[in-house]
Amino acid sequence: MSQDLVTFLNARLDEEADLARRCGGCGEWAAQGHTVDFCQGELAGFHPTVALHVALHDPARVLREIEAKRRVLARHEFSPAIGDPELPWDNRDDCQYDGEPGPCDDVLDLALPYADHPDYPRRP
Ligand SMILES: [Zn+2]
């Protein structure tokens, strides 16, 4: 499951980054009362709290968040038991960051928002 989960997570991050890139490139989104300024136009009729929430998901911010998640994921790369220079200490696939058997808690937490996705890897 470890590598399946990483592959799955990278696919979701790729999708979100692609979508954010297609929505961005013009500046910051901003909320003003019931209106969200998408910098290419405005859309009114939101509850002010919803407008703030939408503006918070500005594509530039989403892309920064995705890059941060990719760096966390890279730190938690799995060290396969086969070819692991640390053998014979632990004959298992484990996280290079925390030594936990994969997937470690941090990778599981990164994947949690996508748990309802139909391709989410399930434990056998
Ligand atoms: Zn880890």
Side-chain angles (χ1 to χ4, degrees):
M1 178 196 182
S2 299
Q3 200 53 49
D4 289 350
L5 191 62
V6 171
T7 300
F8 168 83
L9 194 48
N10 276 315
R12 303 292 75 77
L13 295 175
D14 288 347
E15 287 173 354
E16 288 186 10
D18 180 59
L19 185 60
R21 277 189 215 97
R22 290 190 284 141
C23 293
C26 61
E28 280 188 33
W29 292 2
Q32 296 147 355
H34 296 269
T35 302
V36 177
D37 178 356
F38 295 98
C39 65
Q40 295 175 338
E42 294 183 352
L43 202 54
F46 294 100
H47 184 282
T49 304
V50 174
L52 287 168
H53 181 74
V54 171
L56 189 64
H57 291 82
D58 176 275
R61 180 184 184 274
V62 168
L63 288 170
R64 288 193 302 272
E65 190 171 323
I66 290 168
E67 287 310 308
K69 289 177 180 177
R70 289 191 197 280
R71 286 193 295 274
V72 171
L73 192 56
R75 283 196 295 272
H76 290 267
E77 186 174 339
F78 302 118
S79 176
I82 296 172
D84 187 336
E86 293 186 8
L87 283 175
W89 310 112
D90 291 314
N91 189 15
R92 64 179 191 201
D93 293 353
D94 56 10
C95 171
Q96 292 188 24
Y97 188 76
D98 47 41
E100 295 295 318
C104 68
D105 288 345
D106 288 338
V107 172
L108 289 170
D109 284 344
L110 285 173
L112 183 62
Y114 311 102
D116 60 350
H117 191 284
D119 296 338
Y120 186 88
R122 305 281 169 208
R123 290 181 189 266

